[in-house]
Amino acid sequence: QVQPVESGGGSVQVGGSLRVSCVVSEYAEFGTCTGWFRETPGKEREGVAAILRTNDDTYYEDSVKGRFTISQVTAKNTVYLQMDSLKIEDSAMYYCAAGGFGSCAYNIGPCCFDTWGQGTQVTVSS
């Protein structure tokens, strides 16, 4: 099964910005939604943001609203997560995911995600 491939993580100071990217090969075969999740040791994986491939509708977790922006360039099979005003608590492994409409363990908005990338680390320091 082809996986989404993330890139662009790294280290930044509080208040800084980072952009992570996700290439989803065979985009059309991966369903309607692309999203970003994050995970830190000892905590459950949480949804961050999602975008619908067909109409660019977006969904955000409350703690990132106004700071993170998800976007896509479908011609490049690529989804971006622009992260601004980063906080220490944003530090995590960020995973790109693909999926479709439905309800499951990993939901963002109307989307259920079941295909995962390997992750990219984001570290925010003071």
Side-chain angles (χ1 to χ4, degrees):
Q1 186 178 19
V2 178
Q3 290 180 305
V5 178
E6 305 96 335
S7 62
S11 299
V12 66
Q13 290 189 319
V14 170
S17 297
L18 277 175
R19 188 178 77 164
V20 290
S21 303
C22 173
V23 176
V24 185
S25 300
E26 307 299 329
Y27 202 57
E29 297 183 8
F30 276 86
T32 307
C33 308
T34 309
W36 289 92
F37 286 72
R38 62 188 180 187
E39 187 173 341
T40 55
K43 292 187 178 181
E44 291 186 359
R45 189 170 296 190
E46 67 169 352
V48 175
I51 189 165
L52 301 190
R53 182 173 59 82
T54 53
N55 64 7
D56 290 337
D57 279 357
T58 57
Y59 303 87
Y60 295 94
E61 192 268 333
D62 285 346
S63 69
V64 307
K65 286 179 180 177
R67 299 189 299 121
F68 290 13
T69 303
I70 189 170
S71 61
Q72 63 187 349
V73 178
T74 52
K76 295 183 178 181
N77 295 340
T78 303
V79 171
Y80 304 97
L81 184 68
Q82 176 68 40
M83 301 180 287
D84 298 320
S85 302
L86 282 162
K87 304 176 181 180
I88 288 178
E89 52 264 41
D90 294 319
S91 297
M93 185 71 79
Y94 281 72
Y95 295 91
C96 181
F101 291 132
S103 180
C104 65
Y106 297 105
N107 268 106
I108 302 174
C111 301
C112 163
F113 292 95
D114 58 6
T115 304
W116 302 91
Q118 295 291 331
T120 185
Q121 180 68 39
V122 171
T123 302
V124 185
S125 60
S126 59

